Each structure stands twice: as C-alpha cells, then as structure tokens.
Amino acid sequence: MKSYPKQPKSDNIKVLEDWKKKCEAVKKYNNAIEAEKKKVAALKETVKKMKQK
C-alpha cells in the first residue's frame, strides 16, 4: 500500500492539480492491491473447500 502525498501549502492551481492527480494514482494503485488480495483470498478458500472433500 502506498501512502497519500502531503497536501501542498501552495495556493498555486497547477501545484494543487498535480497533487490531486498523484492522490488519484495512489488510490487507483491501492484499490488494485485490495482487489488482488480479495482474489487470492477467494482462491485460498476454494482450495480449502476442495481439500475437505
């Protein structure tokens, strides 16, 4: 998981837009990691059920 960048203290619109883009990229990355973890957990559960039979 990546952490979000600190909000800049600048009032420059370009700086704030760049910061917003970086935050969105981090959010997208973290969501992809979470989705991958859910897939792995579901696969492990399936394998566990197959072994019990």
Side-chain angles (χ1 to χ4, degrees):
M1 293 290 225
K2 291 184 178 179
S3 59
Y4 289 94
K6 284 186 178 179
Q7 184 172 2
K9 294 178 182 175
S10 172
D11 288 336
N12 185 337
I13 291 177
K14 176 127 176 67
V15 171
L16 293 173
E17 286 175 348
D18 288 345
W19 171 73
K20 186 177 177 185
K21 285 180 185 176
K22 287 177 186 175
C23 286
E24 288 171 357
V26 168
K27 184 177 181 180
K28 187 175 179 182
Y29 175 83
N30 287 345
N31 287 343
I33 295 284
E34 285 299 317
E36 195 65 29
K37 284 182 181 178
K38 287 178 184 176
K39 283 183 188 176
V40 169
L43 270 172
K44 284 183 179 179
E45 198 61 37
T46 304
V47 169
K48 198 179 206 182
K49 287 179 183 176
M50 289 172 64
K51 284 183 177 179
Q52 287 176 350
K53 290 183 178 179

